[in-house]
């Protein structure tokens, strides 16, 4: 049977359209004083633009929703206009909230219908390679309701009790088996309805979206993350990010 005569499956998961929500409303206090973290420059280009380009680099991503600092939506909109971005991708900007969770929810609320897969990606991870983005989308298309990119840990992790008084040493209470631990990155990928339900029903502090889906009792799966998808948090991370960009420029030159 030729490709032309083969009937195409109705609404096959492989045809599902993907939208990316990029929370970029954090102040980035740990990076030191200055502009909101996502608007700071890396090799002359705002971190947010790197992150937007990283997600839009995936041919599966047809819409990127940027969640701007609450008072910075106009500034972010003009930034997106000022930098070259793929024409096949649509972009939306919405103002964010007080917490990351609130910001992601505001991004989800702004999603038009027609996108069945949603990625949530920290603007603070500007250098994620497109292969990682595509691997996450692929795993959602294969049927997982929630997918995280994850890496094994180099350090041993200890669980501690809070110090009894400021400045006192913290008592160690447990050492989880390192081989079973993973450091989790973004983009995290979701079946849209599952993520919307998680944001509508799960309350309390969470540090990632997949954690909310776990609280619904659903299975979250991990795919291999990438060392270049690290989160720019502290001043040293800026140095590392500049070095990665310099290496990419060098490699592109050959
Ligand atoms: O603070 P943290 O590094 O965990 O932030 C992760 C991402 O969440 C960052 O991209 C940050 O801009 C975003 N964020 C947000 N709204 C907040 C706080 C953080 O969009 N209120």
């Amino acid at each position: 049977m030729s490709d032309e005569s083969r009937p195409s499956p109705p609404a096959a998961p492989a045809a599902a359209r993907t939208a990316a929500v990029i929370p970029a409303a954090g102040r980035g206090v740990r990076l030191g004083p200055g502009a909101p973290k996502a608007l700071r420059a890396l090799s002359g280009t705002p971190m947010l633009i790197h992150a937007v380009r990283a997600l839009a680099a995936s041919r599966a991503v047809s819409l990127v929703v940027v969640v701007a600092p609450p008072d910075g939506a106009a500034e972010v909109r003009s930034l997106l206009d000022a930098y070259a971005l793929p024409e096949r991708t649509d972009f939306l900007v919405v103002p964010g909230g007080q917490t990351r969770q609130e910001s992601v929810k505001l991004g989800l609320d702004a999603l038009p219908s027609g996108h069945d897969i949603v990625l949530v990606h920290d603007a603070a991870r500007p250098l994620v390679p497109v292969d990682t983005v595509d691997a996450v989308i692929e795993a959602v298309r294969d049927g997982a309701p929630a997918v995280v990119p994850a890496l094994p840990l180099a350090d041993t992790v200890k669980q501690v009790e809070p110090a009894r008084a400021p400045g006192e040493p913290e008592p160690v209470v447990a050492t989880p088996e390192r081989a079973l631990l993973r450091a989790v990155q973004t983009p995290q990928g979701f079946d849209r309805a599952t993520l919307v339900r998680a944001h509508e029903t799960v309350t309390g502090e969470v540090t990632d979206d997949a954690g909310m889906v776990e609280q619904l009792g659903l299975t979250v799966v991990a795919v291999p993350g990438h060392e270049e998808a690290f989160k720019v948090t502290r001043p040293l991370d800026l140095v590392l990010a500049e070095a990665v960009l310099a290496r990419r420029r060098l490699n592109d030159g050959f």
Side-chain angles (χ1 to χ4, degrees):
M1 194 188 266
S2 75
D3 274 354
E4 285 77 14
S5 56
R6 190 173 290 141
S8 57
R17 296 173 75 214
T18 301
V21 173
I22 303 188
R27 299 287 329 165
V29 178
R30 288 168 290 182
L31 210 50
K37 177 160 70 176
L39 305 185
R40 298 193 200 195
L42 277 183
S43 293
T45 301
M47 206 181 305
L48 173 63
I49 298 295
H50 286 285
V52 167
R53 283 179 173 160
L55 273 283
S58 167
R59 301 199 69 82
V61 173
S62 51
L63 170 68
V64 175
V65 179
V66 177
V67 187
D71 55 356
E75 188 183 350
V76 166
R77 227 168 262 130
S78 37
L79 259 191
L80 293 184
D81 289 340
Y83 285 86
L85 297 168
E87 285 191 1
R88 62 184 152 77
T89 316
D90 292 327
F91 298 93
L92 271 178
V93 180
V94 296
Q98 291 310 307
T99 63
R100 181 185 183 282
Q101 209 169 335
E102 242 180 82
S103 294
V104 172
K105 171 84 166 67
L106 289 164
L108 281 178
D109 289 347
L111 279 183
S113 59
H115 297 87
D116 299 325
I117 296 177
V118 178
L119 303 179
V120 182
H121 181 64
D122 291 331
R125 299 181 188 272
L127 304 181
V128 60
V130 67
D131 287 354
T132 307
V133 178
D134 284 337
V136 169
I137 296 169
E138 195 61 38
V140 181
R141 283 180 172 168
D142 284 348
V147 179
V148 295
L151 288 179
L153 297 187
D155 295 321
T156 294
V157 172
K158 302 282 184 195
Q159 186 182 339
V160 297
E161 263 174 18
R164 291 184 191 99
E168 288 268 301
E170 299 169 321
V172 170
V173 294
T175 306
E177 189 183 337
R178 189 175 64 187
L180 295 177
L181 296 176
R182 297 288 179 269
V184 168
Q185 306 176 317
T186 71
Q188 299 187 347
F190 303 89
D191 158 60
R192 177 181 179 165
T194 302
L195 184 60
V196 168
R197 185 154 67 91
H199 273 270
E200 279 168 355
T201 54
V202 175
T203 51
E205 191 81 359
V206 287
T207 51
D208 75 338
D209 299 277
M212 302 174 83
V213 173
E214 286 162 53
Q215 288 191 42
L216 294 180
L218 297 174
T219 302
V220 175
V221 298
V223 298
H226 197 285
E227 60 179 3
E228 292 181 6
F230 64 93
K231 182 155 74 169
V232 176
T233 308
R234 297 186 180 81
L236 189 59
D237 298 322
L238 289 171
V239 179
L240 183 58
E242 298 273 3
V244 170
L245 286 169
R247 185 176 66 183
R248 286 184 186 176
R249 275 196 299 275
L250 208 64
N251 289 343
D252 287 351
F254 288 100

